[in-house]
Amino acid sequence: MEEIVKAETYKGLYGMHKYWGKKPFNVICEFIKKYSKEGDIVLDSFCGSGITLIEALKLNRRAVGFDLNPIAIMLTKASLKRVDIKILKKEFEEIKKELEPLINSLYETTCEKCGGIAYETHVIWNKGEPQEVWYKCDNCKLKKVIRKGNDYDKEQCENPRIKPLWYPTTAMFENSRLNVREGQTVADLFTNRAIVALSYLLDRIKRVKDPIIKETFEITFTGALSQASKLVFVIRRRNKNSTSGKEETGRAEVGSWVVGYWIPEEHFEINVWNCFENRFKKILKGKEDVNKTFSKEIAFYDEFNSLKYSKSGALILNASATDIDIPDNSIDYVFIDPPHGNRILYMEMSLMWNSWLGLEFNCDWENEIVVSEAKYRNKNVDSYSKMMNLALLEIKRVLKYGCYFSLAFNSLDDETWLEMLNMCIGTGFNVVDISPLGYSANSVVQDNRKNALKTDFVITCKKILNQKQKE
Ligand SMILES: C[S@@+](CC[C@H](N)C(=O)[O-])C[C@H]1O[C@@H](n2cnc3c(N)ncnc32)[C@H](O)[C@@H]1O
Ligand SMILES: [Zn+2]
C-alpha cells in the first residue's frame, strides 16, 4: 500500500467489548478497497471480533467469517446487528429497577456523616483483607467517601446474605504464564459477593424475550466481567509532596485487566451493578453506531450457497479455519490476522467470558491454532505450524484464481516472520506485496535498521495457476 494510513482508535461499534489483537479498522478497509470490488465475497477465517467483516460489509461486499472461539462469533454478530435503541433502553431501565437495589444491598454500609444507609462502590483488598472502602451516600449527595475496611466488610463480602443462583465452576487450564494454578476455576476470579450479584444479573438477562436485546445484554455482561473480578489492580501514584525520596503509598486509582488471570495481592473489588451500568453505556454508544453504519438489516446465512446466490449478507460461523465448508474457487478476497504463536492465548483468555454464557461447551480446544504452555493441551510450535499450513491450504483452495489474499502478521523475531512468509510461498501463493500496517513509514525504517520487525506487516499474495495447471 503506497499510502500508509494511520490507525484510528477503537470507539463506537469497535469499542463495545474487549477482544485481543483487534487490527486498525481503517487500515483493513484500505486493503479491502484495493483488492476487491462491490458485491465481491470477502473471507476472514480467523475473524476474531470481526473487524474485517464489518469493513467488508460497510464497503458493500459480502462477508464470510470463521472463528473457533464462540465469544468471538457472538461479538462479531453483535457489531452487525441493528437493535431498537428505545426497546434496549427500556429493558435496561427494567433490569435496573429490579436489580440495582438487590445488588446494592450486598454492598450496604453506614454513612459516617449522616448515619444513613450508603453503598460501597469499591473495596481495596490486600492479602485477603479489606483495606480501604469507598462508598457513596445519596443522602449526603456524596459520590466518594473513603474509610478503612473492617471485619464487618470482610464478612459481608465473604458470606453474602443472599445465596447465588447458577454460576460457572468451570475448571481452567493450569498455565503458569497466565497465572492459572492447578485446580483453579472461573469462580475463583471473583469474590463471593460478586458471584451472587453476577448470578442474579445473568439470570435476569436470560429471561429477556427479544433474542437480539438478550444478546446485547449478554455481551454487556461479559464486557463487564473483568472489572467485576479480582483481576483489577490498584494503581498507586507516588505522593507528589513526598520528601523522603522513597516510594510512598499514594492515592489509589482503578486499574484494569492486564495480562492473564493474575490476581494481584492488592486488588479492587468494584460494585457489580456499577460495572454493568458503565459497560452498558459503551454498548449503547456502540449499538447506536451499528444502527447508523448499517442502515439496512444484514442478512445472516448459515451455509455458503445461500450467500452465493444473494446480493448481500454474511456467513459467520463458529468453525475452524482448517476445515472450511466452502466450495473451491468461490472467494474473491481474503484478509486474515491469524494467532501469532504464543503471543495471545485467545481461547484460554476467553474462558472467563465463554463459561459464564455456557459457551465453553462449544470451545474446540483441539483445533485452536496457538502455542500454549498449558499442561495437557499439547500446543507446541510444531502443531502450530502444521495447522497454520492447513488453514493456508484451505484459503488457497477456496480463493478464486487471479484473486488476492492478505495476511497481517506481527512478530518480534525475524525467524517466525520468515517462517510465515515461507509458509505462504510453500502453499503455492505468489507474494505480491509486503506493507506495514497502520504505522508511519518512519517507524518501519527505524525498525529495519535495528534488524527487528516491531510492527504489523501485511503480506499480500495472489493465487495463480502453476506451471503444470497452465499447461
Ligand atoms: C489475531 S486474532 C483475530 C483478531 C481479529 N483480526 C479482530 O479484529 O478481532 C486471531 C483469532 O484466531 C482464532 N483462531 C485460532 N485458531 C483458530 C482456528 N483453528 N480456526 C479459526 N479461528 C481460530 C482465535 O480465536 C482468534 O480470535
Ligand atoms: Zn450520608
Side-chain angles (χ1 to χ4, degrees), residues 167-186:
Y167 63 93
T169 49
T170 317
M172 304 171 82
F173 281 102
E174 182 185 345
N175 189 335
S176 55
R177 203 179 129 220
L178 296 186
N179 283 291
V180 180
R181 50 187 163 69
E182 192 184 347
Q184 188 169 328
T185 72
V186 170

Side-chain angles (χ1 to χ4, degrees), residues 143-155:
K143 281 207 169 124
K144 182 174 167 184
V145 184
I146 303 179
R147 67 160 167 80
K148 269 181 100 168
N150 56 41
D151 287 347
Y152 177 77
D153 298 321
K154 187 172 176 175
E155 175 63 18

Side-chain angles (χ1 to χ4, degrees), residues 377-393:
R377 280 207 70 193
N378 278 330
K379 291 287 170 193
N380 50 36
V381 178
D382 238 25
S383 62
Y384 171 86
S385 302
K386 269 191 202 129
M387 291 173 80
M388 198 58 225
N389 218 35
L390 282 180
L392 293 181
L393 284 169

Side-chain angles (χ1 to χ4, degrees), residues 19-23 44-52 66-69 72 319-322 337-340 346-347 367-369 387:
Y19 197 73
W20 302 273
K22 286 190 189 185
K23 287 281 167 302
D44 182 350
S45 46
F46 295 89
C47 71
S49 61
I51 311 251
T52 309
F66 300 103
D67 200 289
L68 208 61
N69 188 356
S320 177
T322 52
D337 163 30
H340 305 171
Y346 290 92
M347 211 120 79
N367 274 319
E368 188 181 17
I369 303 183
M387 291 173 80

Side-chain angles (χ1 to χ4, degrees), residues 267-284:
H267 66 83
F268 268 105
E269 182 201 12
I270 309 176
N271 181 313
V272 166
W273 178 259
N274 296 350
C275 297
F276 186 71
E277 184 156 10
N278 286 338
R279 180 48 59 177
F280 181 70
K281 286 178 193 155
K282 292 204 175 94
I283 296 276
L284 194 61

Side-chain angles (χ1 to χ4, degrees), residues 125 127-130 150-159:
W125 291 84
K127 300 194 179 91
E129 297 298 323
N150 56 41
D151 287 347
Y152 177 77
D153 298 321
K154 187 172 176 175
E155 175 63 18
Q156 185 172 233
C157 172
E158 289 182 352
N159 294 307

